[in-house]
Amino acid sequence: MKTLKLGVLVSGSGSNLQSIIDNVENKRLDAEISVIICNNPGAYAIDRAAKHGIPSVVIDHHDFEDREAFDREMIAVLKSHDIDLVIMAGFMRILTPLFLRTFPMRIMNIHPALLPSFQGIHAQERAFEYGVKFSGCTVHFADEGVDTGPIITQAVVPVLDDDTADTLQQRILMEEHRIYPQAIQFYAEGRLEVVGRKVRIRDHAGVSEVPHHNPPLEAF
Ligand code: GRF
């Protein structure tokens, strides 16, 4: 099987990038990270890539007159590395239709909420303030909306009585680090089939039919 070549787009801390690096290095993920692109020159994600010998390219969006010019530069870098799949890992820019058309159903994003709830920024804080009893995270293919593309996988994280927005965010992040490499591995194995809005995953282990309640149901 040909090794899947990833181009990872980052803007910040890069903990999701780290989880992908770790899973590549421990060979759970049949992929290689060919390049990371970062739009923020000070991002810690760049140090993480350097520590693992992964080439990184800083493309500061402030240097471009519009989104399309910025995206054209990213496309050129990704094409020069011959990448198969684009991974948005905490990438805080909206992609233009030009970029999306260049890599159709070949761009994944992770979002720290159970989509379609709480699309956009500050999702964990907004879910917490709203008072949800469950939140979580979602890996999906990118489309022309913000956090609207076909859903590949989700993890549900209960909100605990003594949670703060911060502790909830940390627990969601731990699940992000598990489901993102898994979604990429599904792709690497050619097991994802997109039909309209739905993503079918061939031969997965099956889903528990047990509903979850928070708080738990009591006898009454
Ligand atoms: C994650 O919560 C991700 O879901 C969101 O931005 C955050 C990035 O974190 N899109 P990191 O840079 O991967 O640590």
Side-chain angles (χ1 to χ4, degrees):
M1 194 165 58
K2 176 181 172 287
T3 304
L4 189 74
K5 296 175 88 166
L6 307 176
V8 185
L9 312 185
V10 291
S11 300
S13 138
S15 70
N16 277 290
L17 167 68
Q18 187 70 55
S19 81
I20 296 165
I21 292 173
D22 294 344
N23 279 282
V24 167
E25 289 188 350
N26 68 22
K27 301 204 182 322
R28 285 162 57 96
L29 192 42
D30 298 320
E32 65 181 49
I33 303 176
S34 303
V35 64
I36 75 151
I37 296 178
C38 185
N39 68 308
N40 168 13
Y44 184 54
I46 299 170
D47 301 327
R48 294 187 194 264
K51 276 187 195 135
H52 293 267
I54 299 167
S56 59
V57 179
V58 176
I59 306 177
D60 187 340
H61 57 280
H62 296 106
D63 296 342
F64 296 82
E65 70 182 22
D66 57 29
R67 285 183 192 276
E68 222 174 81
F70 170 68
D71 278 9
R72 266 198 300 276
E73 185 69 24
M74 290 204 297
I75 291 168
V77 170
L78 294 166
K79 286 201 161 166
S80 74
H81 284 84
D82 196 24
I83 66 103
D84 300 305
L85 183 66
V86 179
I87 299 296
M88 300 169 75
F91 184 64
M92 303 305 283
R93 305 295 301 164
I94 292 171
L95 299 172
T96 59
L98 170 73
F99 192 100
L100 292 155
R101 278 198 309 271
T102 307
F103 303 102
M105 287 302 154
R106 292 203 288 140
I107 308 167
M108 283 187 191
N109 183 39
I110 188 151
H111 184 70
L114 288 176
L115 291 175
S117 294
F118 305 104
Q119 295 158 333
I121 59 167
H122 304 311
Q124 309 95 324
E125 293 90 327
R126 287 187 291 122
F128 179 76
E129 291 305 330
Y130 196 93
V132 297
K133 299 295 188 191
F134 289 103
S135 190
C137 45
T138 304
V139 179
H140 64 94
F141 285 111
D143 70 2
E144 301 205 0
V146 176
D147 304 320
T148 52
I151 291 172
I152 300 165
T153 182
Q154 295 186 301
V156 176
V157 174
V159 179
L160 307 180
D161 288 346
D162 57 359
D163 260 337
T164 61
D166 211 45
T167 57
L168 177 62
Q169 174 169 353
Q170 287 310 315
R171 289 209 317 291
I172 292 174
L173 196 56
M174 283 171 61
E175 296 312 310
E176 294 184 35
H177 299 162
R178 302 173 78 187
I179 66 170
Y180 216 175
Q182 168 72 88
I184 299 167
Q185 180 63 15
F186 284 146
Y187 188 98
E189 292 174 2
R191 290 167 61 193
L192 300 182
E193 185 187 349
V194 185
V195 182
R197 282 209 48 82
K198 298 204 178 142
V199 181
R200 199 168 76 87
I201 301 167
R202 280 185 281 273
D203 305 321
H204 67 68
V207 178
S208 162
E209 290 180 26
V210 181
H212 296 282
H213 307 89
N214 182 18
L217 288 181
E218 297 178 2
F220 62 91

